[in-house]
Amino acid sequence: MALSVKRSVRPPLAVWLLGGLLLTGCVGQPTTRTAGLYVFGTLVEVTLIGANEAAVQATLDRVDALFQAMHRDWHPWKPGRLTTLNGQLSSGAWSLVDPDLLGLIEVSSTVARASGHRFNPAIGRLVALWGFHGDELPVGEAPDASLIADLVSANPRMTDLEFRDGAVRSRNPALQLDFGGIAKGYALDLARQRLRSDEVSGALLNAGGDLCVLGRGPQGPWRVGIRDPFDKSSVRVVIALPQDLCAMTSGNYERYRQGEGIRWGHLLNPESGYPVTQVASVTVIHPDGAWADAAATALAVAGGQWRDVAAVMGLDRVMVVSEGGATEMTAGFRALLIEPR
Ligand code: ADP
Ligand code: MG
């Protein structure tokens, strides 16, 4: 999912905790609680199974605080740590970055290289040129072709970054970081790390269809539906997600630029500078949420070559829905299907 910010007002945590009344354990039984937390403008539904009510509530509060810090610090266009860092990167200066953000930059660099730079979070300027740095969806024809060509030929890549003692700088002034294609996965990874150290035996973190599980669900493996890219209200497949895996989906259907008779999706091919057209959605299942999130973007860019890129990236559980509506999947993904078979 993109780092899109559609709602600027966040309901207080207490409002969403009403959902927690849905499933509460009996005395002596584990407690199951569901709460809605906001991060990156998306409602993240957090279901926790824990030893007791107090422990589960304390964990929810900690995860909520973590998500709010990420929202503030990594926002791609609202003033915060990332916009400050981007300003410094374009000047070539060294910038000190905090460990969580440094971790995000490092994992992003690794996926970028592994994907042959199809996942390229250094193309923030291109994302902005297409109008995707705003709360509202952009409208209108494609940007001027010469502006797109200039940004493509500047060729910003994560390999332009240099690291030293917790600081980073860019050799390429055109590089601007945009973590829209990976931040949600990384946020869910950090949340799961924190949950592991708490008294939580199972968790499902669902950020608008991008989700990670920890442990098992109340009745065995977590069952999750993967949304149909052509019909928001229905699911394309239902899978049983084994312990500690993430299922991340990138699609062209939620954020797009509406031109006359053409809808430009927000997944950009860094080589052409234009949006991906062959693929409607890609779902990647992997233990690492950040890797799965970014890989889904990379495979969407790979289009018809997605199987080759998935093999290079070590991905064996992938589903791709093409713009024409066909569903393709790897054998590893098929093995998780509950319906349809
Ligand atoms: P979705 O929102 O459908 O899950 P993604 O997780 O792939 O999709 O995130 C898309 C966002 O990633 C875009 O809005 C943009 O900020 C950024 N982006 C677009 N193209 C690329 C790319 N090739 N590499 C890295 N990030 C990208
Ligand atoms: Mg993604």
Side-chain angles (χ1 to χ4, degrees):
M1 281 291 131
L3 205 63
S4 60
V5 179
K6 290 163 196 148
R7 302 175 194 83
S8 52
V9 182
R10 188 171 80 90
L13 181 59
V15 173
W16 296 107
L17 284 179
L18 291 174
L21 301 175
L22 287 176
L23 273 169
T24 307
C26 312
V27 179
Q29 296 289 310
T31 299
T32 302
R33 221 170 206 280
T34 300
L37 310 179
Y38 267 92
V39 61
F40 310 141
T42 298
L43 178 65
V44 185
E45 200 181 74
V46 181
T47 301
L48 297 183
I49 306 173
N52 60 65
E53 189 73 25
V56 167
Q57 181 60 58
T59 300
L60 280 173
D61 290 345
R62 266 197 297 282
V63 172
D64 187 44
L66 174 73
F67 284 164
Q68 295 331 307
M70 292 168 181
H71 179 82
R72 227 180 24 243
D73 295 344
W74 306 345
H75 203 288
W77 68 86
K78 292 195 175 153
R81 285 192 196 172
L82 186 57
T83 52
T84 304
L85 173 63
N86 273 331
Q88 287 163 334
L89 289 176
S90 49
S91 74
W94 283 103
S95 294
L96 270 177
V97 275
D98 66 80
D100 281 348
L101 182 53
L102 190 61
L104 178 57
I105 296 172
E106 283 169 350
V107 67
S108 297
S109 303
T110 308
V111 194
R113 272 196 301 273
S115 72
H117 302 279
R118 290 173 180 88
F119 170 74
N120 183 356
I123 59 167
R125 288 209 170 148
L126 193 61
V127 178
L129 180 66
W130 277 93
F132 294 119
H133 280 177
D135 292 348
E136 305 300 326
L137 290 182
V139 179
E141 295 312 301
D144 196 294
S146 67
L147 296 178
I148 295 174
D150 286 350
L151 290 182
V152 169
S153 65
N155 196 23
R157 290 187 166 190
M158 295 306 274
T159 41
D160 294 326
L161 291 176
E162 290 180 83
F163 298 89
R164 192 177 71 193
D165 302 331
V168 59
R169 77 171 171 189
S170 171
R171 285 183 290 254
N172 185 339
L175 179 147
Q176 290 285 276
L177 297 172
D178 175 315
F179 294 117
I182 191 170
K184 243 178 229 173
Y186 188 70
L188 297 187
D189 284 341
L190 288 186
R192 278 190 309 162
Q193 266 171 34
R194 312 281 204 269
L195 293 179
R196 282 197 184 97
S197 62
D198 286 352
E199 290 176 60
V200 170
S201 61
L204 170 68
L205 306 167
N206 181 1
D210 281 337
L211 48 94
C212 293
V213 299
L214 187 69
R216 291 164 71 81
Q219 278 112 32
W222 295 96
R223 290 166 64 102
V224 301
I226 309 294
R227 203 188 275 169
D228 188 323
F230 303 107
D231 177 5
K232 269 190 192 178
S233 58
S234 70
V235 295
R236 183 143 287 229
V237 295
V238 180
I239 55 172
L241 201 54
Q243 297 196 28
D244 300 347
L245 290 183
C246 296
M248 307 297 287
T249 302
S250 281
N252 254 342
Y253 47 94
E254 263 190 346
R255 275 182 74 72
Y256 47 81
R257 178 186 178 106
Q258 187 65 57
E260 252 174 61
I262 184 159
R263 199 178 249 199
W264 301 101
H266 70 147
L267 304 176
L268 302 176
N269 183 337
E271 253 183 30
S272 67
Y274 282 79
V276 163
T277 51
Q278 284 181 28
V279 166
S281 75
V282 177
T283 303
V284 172
I285 296 176
H286 194 270
D288 186 309
W291 188 268
D293 191 3
T297 310
L299 297 189
V301 172
Q305 273 91 53
W306 72 265
R307 283 183 191 273
D308 299 337
V309 178
V312 169
M313 296 184 75
L315 306 169
D316 54 3
R317 292 159 168 164
V318 179
M319 177 176 80
V320 175
V321 180
S322 72
E323 237 353 289
T327 308
E328 291 181 78
M329 58 185 82
T330 59
F333 193 100
R334 191 174 296 283
L336 301 176
L337 290 185
I338 298 175
E339 56 187 75
R341 278 214 166 259

Short mmCIF file of all heavy atoms in Angstrom, two decimals, residues 228-269:
data_model
loop_
_atom_site.label_atom_id
_atom_site.label_comp_id
_atom_site.label_asym_id
_atom_site.label_seq_id
_atom_site.Cartn_x
_atom_site.Cartn_y
_atom_site.Cartn_z
N ASP A 228 -9.78 -8.28 -4.53
CA ASP A 228 -9.84 -8.28 -5.99
C ASP A 228 -9.51 -6.87 -6.50
O ASP A 228 -10.18 -5.91 -6.11
CB ASP A 228 -11.27 -8.68 -6.42
CG ASP A 228 -11.35 -8.89 -7.91
OD1 ASP A 228 -10.68 -8.15 -8.66
OD2 ASP A 228 -12.09 -9.80 -8.33
N PRO A 229 -8.49 -6.73 -7.36
CA PRO A 229 -8.12 -5.37 -7.79
C PRO A 229 -9.21 -4.67 -8.58
O PRO A 229 -9.21 -3.45 -8.68
CB PRO A 229 -6.87 -5.58 -8.65
CG PRO A 229 -6.87 -7.02 -9.04
CD PRO A 229 -7.59 -7.75 -7.94
N PHE A 230 -10.15 -5.44 -9.16
CA PHE A 230 -11.19 -4.81 -9.97
C PHE A 230 -12.49 -4.59 -9.20
O PHE A 230 -13.42 -4.01 -9.72
CB PHE A 230 -11.47 -5.67 -11.22
CG PHE A 230 -10.23 -5.87 -12.04
CD1 PHE A 230 -9.59 -7.11 -12.07
CD2 PHE A 230 -9.67 -4.82 -12.76
CE1 PHE A 230 -8.44 -7.30 -12.82
CE2 PHE A 230 -8.51 -5.00 -13.50
CZ PHE A 230 -7.90 -6.24 -13.53
N ASP A 231 -12.56 -5.09 -7.99
CA ASP A 231 -13.78 -4.94 -7.20
C ASP A 231 -13.40 -4.92 -5.73
O ASP A 231 -13.21 -5.95 -5.09
CB ASP A 231 -14.72 -6.12 -7.49
CG ASP A 231 -15.99 -6.05 -6.64
OD1 ASP A 231 -16.17 -5.05 -5.92
OD2 ASP A 231 -16.78 -7.01 -6.72
N LYS A 232 -13.28 -3.67 -5.23
CA LYS A 232 -12.81 -3.45 -3.85
C LYS A 232 -13.58 -4.26 -2.81
O LYS A 232 -13.06 -4.60 -1.77
CB LYS A 232 -13.02 -1.98 -3.49
CG LYS A 232 -11.87 -1.10 -3.78
CD LYS A 232 -12.19 0.23 -3.14
CE LYS A 232 -11.23 1.30 -3.59
NZ LYS A 232 -11.54 2.59 -3.04
N SER A 233 -14.87 -4.51 -3.11
CA SER A 233 -15.70 -5.12 -2.08
C SER A 233 -15.61 -6.64 -2.07
O SER A 233 -16.23 -7.29 -1.24
CB SER A 233 -17.15 -4.69 -2.26
OG SER A 233 -17.56 -5.07 -3.55
N SER A 234 -14.84 -7.23 -3.00
CA SER A 234 -14.77 -8.69 -2.94
C SER A 234 -13.31 -9.16 -2.92
O SER A 234 -12.40 -8.40 -3.25
CB SER A 234 -15.52 -9.32 -4.12
OG SER A 234 -14.81 -9.07 -5.29
N VAL A 235 -13.13 -10.39 -2.50
CA VAL A 235 -11.78 -10.93 -2.44
C VAL A 235 -11.55 -11.86 -3.62
O VAL A 235 -12.47 -12.51 -4.10
CB VAL A 235 -11.49 -11.68 -1.12
CG1 VAL A 235 -11.52 -10.75 0.06
CG2 VAL A 235 -12.40 -12.85 -0.93
N ARG A 236 -10.30 -11.87 -4.10
CA ARG A 236 -9.98 -12.73 -5.24
C ARG A 236 -9.70 -14.15 -4.75
O ARG A 236 -10.16 -15.11 -5.33
CB ARG A 236 -8.77 -12.17 -5.99
CG ARG A 236 -8.46 -13.01 -7.22
CD ARG A 236 -8.00 -12.22 -8.40
NE ARG A 236 -8.98 -11.44 -9.08
CZ ARG A 236 -9.17 -11.45 -10.41
NH1 ARG A 236 -8.48 -12.25 -11.19
NH2 ARG A 236 -10.05 -10.67 -10.97
N VAL A 237 -8.94 -14.26 -3.66
CA VAL A 237 -8.65 -15.58 -3.08
C VAL A 237 -8.62 -15.46 -1.56
O VAL A 237 -8.43 -14.37 -1.02
CB VAL A 237 -7.27 -16.15 -3.55
CG1 VAL A 237 -7.25 -16.42 -5.04
CG2 VAL A 237 -6.14 -15.22 -3.17
N VAL A 238 -8.83 -16.59 -0.89
CA VAL A 238 -8.65 -16.65 0.56
C VAL A 238 -7.53 -17.64 0.84
O VAL A 238 -7.48 -18.72 0.23
CB VAL A 238 -9.95 -17.11 1.27
CG1 VAL A 238 -9.74 -17.16 2.78
CG2 VAL A 238 -11.10 -16.18 0.93
N ILE A 239 -6.62 -17.24 1.71
CA ILE A 239 -5.48 -18.12 2.00
C ILE A 239 -5.36 -18.35 3.51
O ILE A 239 -5.85 -17.55 4.31
CB ILE A 239 -4.14 -17.52 1.49
CG1 ILE A 239 -3.92 -16.11 2.04
CG2 ILE A 239 -4.08 -17.52 -0.02
CD1 ILE A 239 -2.56 -15.54 1.74
N ALA A 240 -4.71 -19.45 3.85
CA ALA A 240 -4.35 -19.70 5.25
C ALA A 240 -2.91 -19.25 5.39
O ALA A 240 -2.03 -19.78 4.71
CB ALA A 240 -4.47 -21.19 5.56
N LEU A 241 -2.67 -18.23 6.22
CA LEU A 241 -1.32 -17.66 6.31
C LEU A 241 -0.57 -18.32 7.47
O LEU A 241 -0.95 -18.14 8.64
CB LEU A 241 -1.43 -16.15 6.51
CG LEU A 241 -0.23 -15.31 6.16
CD1 LEU A 241 0.25 -15.56 4.74
CD2 LEU A 241 -0.55 -13.83 6.34
N PRO A 242 0.46 -19.12 7.15
CA PRO A 242 1.20 -19.77 8.23
C PRO A 242 1.86 -18.75 9.16
O PRO A 242 1.96 -17.57 8.83
CB PRO A 242 2.25 -20.60 7.50
CG PRO A 242 1.77 -20.71 6.10
CD PRO A 242 0.99 -19.46 5.84
N GLN A 243 2.33 -19.23 10.29
CA GLN A 243 2.89 -18.37 11.35
C GLN A 243 3.94 -17.40 10.83
O GLN A 243 4.81 -17.77 10.05
CB GLN A 243 3.60 -19.25 12.39
CG GLN A 243 2.67 -20.18 13.09
CD GLN A 243 3.30 -20.74 14.34
OE1 GLN A 243 4.14 -20.12 14.95
NE2 GLN A 243 2.89 -21.93 14.73
N ASP A 244 3.88 -16.19 11.33
CA ASP A 244 4.93 -15.19 11.16
C ASP A 244 5.20 -14.77 9.72
O ASP A 244 6.33 -14.38 9.39
CB ASP A 244 6.24 -15.67 11.82
CG ASP A 244 6.05 -15.92 13.31
OD1 ASP A 244 5.00 -15.50 13.84
OD2 ASP A 244 6.92 -16.55 13.92
N LEU A 245 4.19 -14.86 8.86
CA LEU A 245 4.37 -14.42 7.47
C LEU A 245 3.60 -13.12 7.22
O LEU A 245 2.67 -12.78 7.94
CB LEU A 245 3.89 -15.48 6.49
CG LEU A 245 4.73 -16.76 6.40
CD1 LEU A 245 4.15 -17.68 5.33
CD2 LEU A 245 6.18 -16.45 6.06
N CYS A 246 4.00 -12.44 6.15
CA CYS A 246 3.29 -11.24 5.70
C CYS A 246 2.76 -11.46 4.29
O CYS A 246 3.42 -12.16 3.49
CB CYS A 246 4.23 -10.04 5.64
SG CYS A 246 4.88 -9.57 7.25
N ALA A 247 1.62 -10.90 3.99
CA ALA A 247 1.08 -10.91 2.62
C ALA A 247 0.89 -9.45 2.22
O ALA A 247 0.05 -8.76 2.79
CB ALA A 247 -0.24 -11.66 2.56
N MET A 248 1.72 -8.98 1.29
CA MET A 248 1.68 -7.56 0.92
C MET A 248 1.24 -7.44 -0.55
O MET A 248 1.76 -8.17 -1.41
CB MET A 248 3.06 -6.92 1.09
CG MET A 248 3.69 -7.13 2.46
SD MET A 248 2.79 -6.41 3.85
CE MET A 248 3.12 -4.69 3.61
N THR A 249 0.34 -6.50 -0.79
CA THR A 249 -0.20 -6.34 -2.15
C THR A 249 0.06 -4.93 -2.67
O THR A 249 -0.20 -3.96 -1.97
CB THR A 249 -1.72 -6.62 -2.14
OG1 THR A 249 -1.94 -7.94 -1.64
CG2 THR A 249 -2.31 -6.51 -3.54
N SER A 250 0.59 -4.86 -3.89
CA SER A 250 0.75 -3.56 -4.56
C SER A 250 -0.21 -3.53 -5.72
O SER A 250 -0.28 -4.49 -6.49
CB SER A 250 2.16 -3.42 -5.14
OG SER A 250 3.06 -3.08 -4.14
N GLY A 251 -0.92 -2.45 -5.86
CA GLY A 251 -1.87 -2.39 -6.95
C GLY A 251 -1.95 -1.01 -7.56
O GLY A 251 -1.53 -0.02 -6.97
N ASN A 252 -2.51 -0.99 -8.76
CA ASN A 252 -2.64 0.25 -9.50
C ASN A 252 -4.04 0.83 -9.38
O ASN A 252 -4.38 1.77 -10.06
CB ASN A 252 -2.32 0.00 -10.98
CG ASN A 252 -0.98 0.55 -11.32
OD1 ASN A 252 -0.44 1.39 -10.60
ND2 ASN A 252 -0.42 0.12 -12.44
N TYR A 253 -4.86 0.23 -8.50
CA TYR A 253 -6.29 0.54 -8.54
C TYR A 253 -6.73 1.55 -7.51
O TYR A 253 -7.80 2.13 -7.63
CB TYR A 253 -7.10 -0.76 -8.36
CG TYR A 253 -6.61 -1.62 -7.22
CD1 TYR A 253 -7.17 -1.52 -5.95
CD2 TYR A 253 -5.56 -2.52 -7.41
CE1 TYR A 253 -6.70 -2.29 -4.91
CE2 TYR A 253 -5.09 -3.29 -6.37
CZ TYR A 253 -5.66 -3.16 -5.12
OH TYR A 253 -5.18 -3.92 -4.08
N GLU A 254 -5.94 1.82 -6.46
CA GLU A 254 -6.41 2.73 -5.42
C GLU A 254 -5.90 4.14 -5.57
O GLU A 254 -6.60 5.10 -5.29
CB GLU A 254 -6.04 2.17 -4.04
CG GLU A 254 -7.19 1.44 -3.45
CD GLU A 254 -7.01 1.08 -2.01
OE1 GLU A 254 -5.88 1.15 -1.51
OE2 GLU A 254 -8.02 0.69 -1.40
N ARG A 255 -4.62 4.22 -5.95
CA ARG A 255 -4.08 5.58 -6.17
C ARG A 255 -3.68 5.69 -7.63
O ARG A 255 -2.90 4.89 -8.14
CB ARG A 255 -2.88 5.83 -5.24
CG ARG A 255 -3.36 6.32 -3.88
CD ARG A 255 -2.26 6.63 -2.92
NE ARG A 255 -1.51 7.87 -3.14
CZ ARG A 255 -1.97 9.10 -2.92
NH1 ARG A 255 -3.19 9.31 -2.52
NH2 ARG A 255 -1.18 10.15 -3.11
N TYR A 256 -4.22 6.71 -8.29
CA TYR A 256 -3.96 6.87 -9.72
C TYR A 256 -4.18 8.33 -10.09
O TYR A 256 -4.73 9.11 -9.30
CB TYR A 256 -4.90 5.97 -10.55
CG TYR A 256 -6.33 6.06 -10.10
CD1 TYR A 256 -7.14 7.12 -10.52
CD2 TYR A 256 -6.87 5.11 -9.22
CE1 TYR A 256 -8.43 7.23 -10.07
CE2 TYR A 256 -8.17 5.22 -8.78
CZ TYR A 256 -8.95 6.29 -9.21
OH TYR A 256 -10.23 6.42 -8.75
N ARG A 257 -3.74 8.66 -11.31
CA ARG A 257 -3.96 10.01 -11.85
C ARG A 257 -4.98 9.85 -12.98
O ARG A 257 -4.74 9.08 -13.92
CB ARG A 257 -2.62 10.53 -12.39
CG ARG A 257 -2.68 11.90 -13.02
CD ARG A 257 -1.29 12.19 -13.61
NE ARG A 257 -1.26 13.47 -14.28
CZ ARG A 257 -0.67 14.55 -13.78
NH1 ARG A 257 -0.02 14.50 -12.64
NH2 ARG A 257 -0.69 15.68 -14.46
N GLN A 258 -6.08 10.52 -12.84
CA GLN A 258 -7.14 10.36 -13.84
C GLN A 258 -6.95 11.36 -14.97
O GLN A 258 -7.07 12.57 -14.78
CB GLN A 258 -8.51 10.56 -13.18
CG GLN A 258 -9.69 10.25 -14.09
CD GLN A 258 -9.74 8.78 -14.50
OE1 GLN A 258 -9.80 7.90 -13.67
NE2 GLN A 258 -9.72 8.52 -15.81
N GLY A 259 -6.58 10.84 -16.17
CA GLY A 259 -6.50 11.71 -17.34
C GLY A 259 -7.76 11.51 -18.17
O GLY A 259 -8.68 10.82 -17.74
N GLU A 260 -7.77 12.12 -19.37
CA GLU A 260 -8.95 11.91 -20.20
C GLU A 260 -8.89 10.55 -20.84
O GLU A 260 -8.02 10.28 -21.67
CB GLU A 260 -9.03 13.02 -21.26
CG GLU A 260 -10.16 13.98 -20.94
CD GLU A 260 -10.16 15.15 -21.88
OE1 GLU A 260 -10.32 14.91 -23.08
OE2 GLU A 260 -9.99 16.29 -21.39
N GLY A 261 -9.78 9.67 -20.40
CA GLY A 261 -9.82 8.32 -20.99
C GLY A 261 -8.68 7.42 -20.56
O GLY A 261 -8.55 6.30 -21.04
N ILE A 262 -7.83 7.88 -19.67
CA ILE A 262 -6.73 7.01 -19.22
C ILE A 262 -6.48 7.24 -17.73
O ILE A 262 -6.55 8.37 -17.24
CB ILE A 262 -5.44 7.24 -20.05
CG1 ILE A 262 -4.36 6.25 -19.62
CG2 ILE A 262 -4.93 8.65 -19.96
CD1 ILE A 262 -3.29 6.03 -20.66
N ARG A 263 -6.24 6.12 -17.06
CA ARG A 263 -5.98 6.19 -15.63
C ARG A 263 -4.54 5.75 -15.41
O ARG A 263 -4.17 4.63 -15.72
CB ARG A 263 -6.93 5.20 -14.96
CG ARG A 263 -7.13 5.44 -13.52
CD ARG A 263 -8.13 4.43 -13.02
NE ARG A 263 -9.36 5.06 -12.66
CZ ARG A 263 -10.27 4.52 -11.86
NH1 ARG A 263 -10.09 3.32 -11.39
NH2 ARG A 263 -11.34 5.17 -11.56
N TRP A 264 -3.71 6.67 -14.92
CA TRP A 264 -2.30 6.36 -14.69
C TRP A 264 -2.13 5.90 -13.24
O TRP A 264 -2.35 6.68 -12.31
CB TRP A 264 -1.43 7.60 -14.91
CG TRP A 264 -1.51 8.20 -16.28
CD1 TRP A 264 -2.23 9.30 -16.66
CD2 TRP A 264 -0.82 7.77 -17.45
NE1 TRP A 264 -2.03 9.57 -17.98
CE2 TRP A 264 -1.16 8.65 -18.50
CE3 TRP A 264 0.07 6.72 -17.73
CZ2 TRP A 264 -0.67 8.52 -19.79
CZ3 TRP A 264 0.56 6.59 -19.00
CH2 TRP A 264 0.20 7.48 -20.02
N GLY A 265 -1.72 4.66 -13.04
CA GLY A 265 -1.54 4.14 -11.68
C GLY A 265 -0.29 4.72 -11.02
O GLY A 265 0.57 5.31 -11.68
N HIS A 266 -0.17 4.52 -9.73
CA HIS A 266 0.93 5.16 -8.97
C HIS A 266 2.19 4.30 -8.88
O HIS A 266 3.14 4.69 -8.22
CB HIS A 266 0.45 5.52 -7.57
CG HIS A 266 0.21 4.34 -6.70
ND1 HIS A 266 0.41 4.35 -5.33
CD2 HIS A 266 -0.21 3.08 -6.99
CE1 HIS A 266 0.13 3.17 -4.83
NE2 HIS A 266 -0.26 2.39 -5.81
N LEU A 267 2.19 3.13 -9.53
CA LEU A 267 3.42 2.32 -9.54
C LEU A 267 4.20 2.71 -10.78
O LEU A 267 3.73 2.51 -11.90
CB LEU A 267 3.08 0.82 -9.57
CG LEU A 267 2.16 0.34 -8.45
CD1 LEU A 267 1.81 -1.12 -8.63
CD2 LEU A 267 2.84 0.56 -7.10
N LEU A 268 5.38 3.29 -10.58
CA LEU A 268 6.13 3.85 -11.71
C LEU A 268 7.28 2.96 -12.12
O LEU A 268 7.97 2.39 -11.26
CB LEU A 268 6.67 5.23 -11.32
CG LEU A 268 5.62 6.26 -10.89
CD1 LEU A 268 6.30 7.55 -10.44
CD2 LEU A 268 4.65 6.54 -12.03
N ASN A 269 7.48 2.85 -13.42
CA ASN A 269 8.64 2.12 -13.93
C ASN A 269 9.81 3.10 -13.98
O ASN A 269 9.80 4.04 -14.77
CB ASN A 269 8.33 1.58 -15.33
CG ASN A 269 9.49 0.76 -15.86
OD1 ASN A 269 10.62 0.93 -15.42
ND2 ASN A 269 9.20 -0.12 -16.79
#
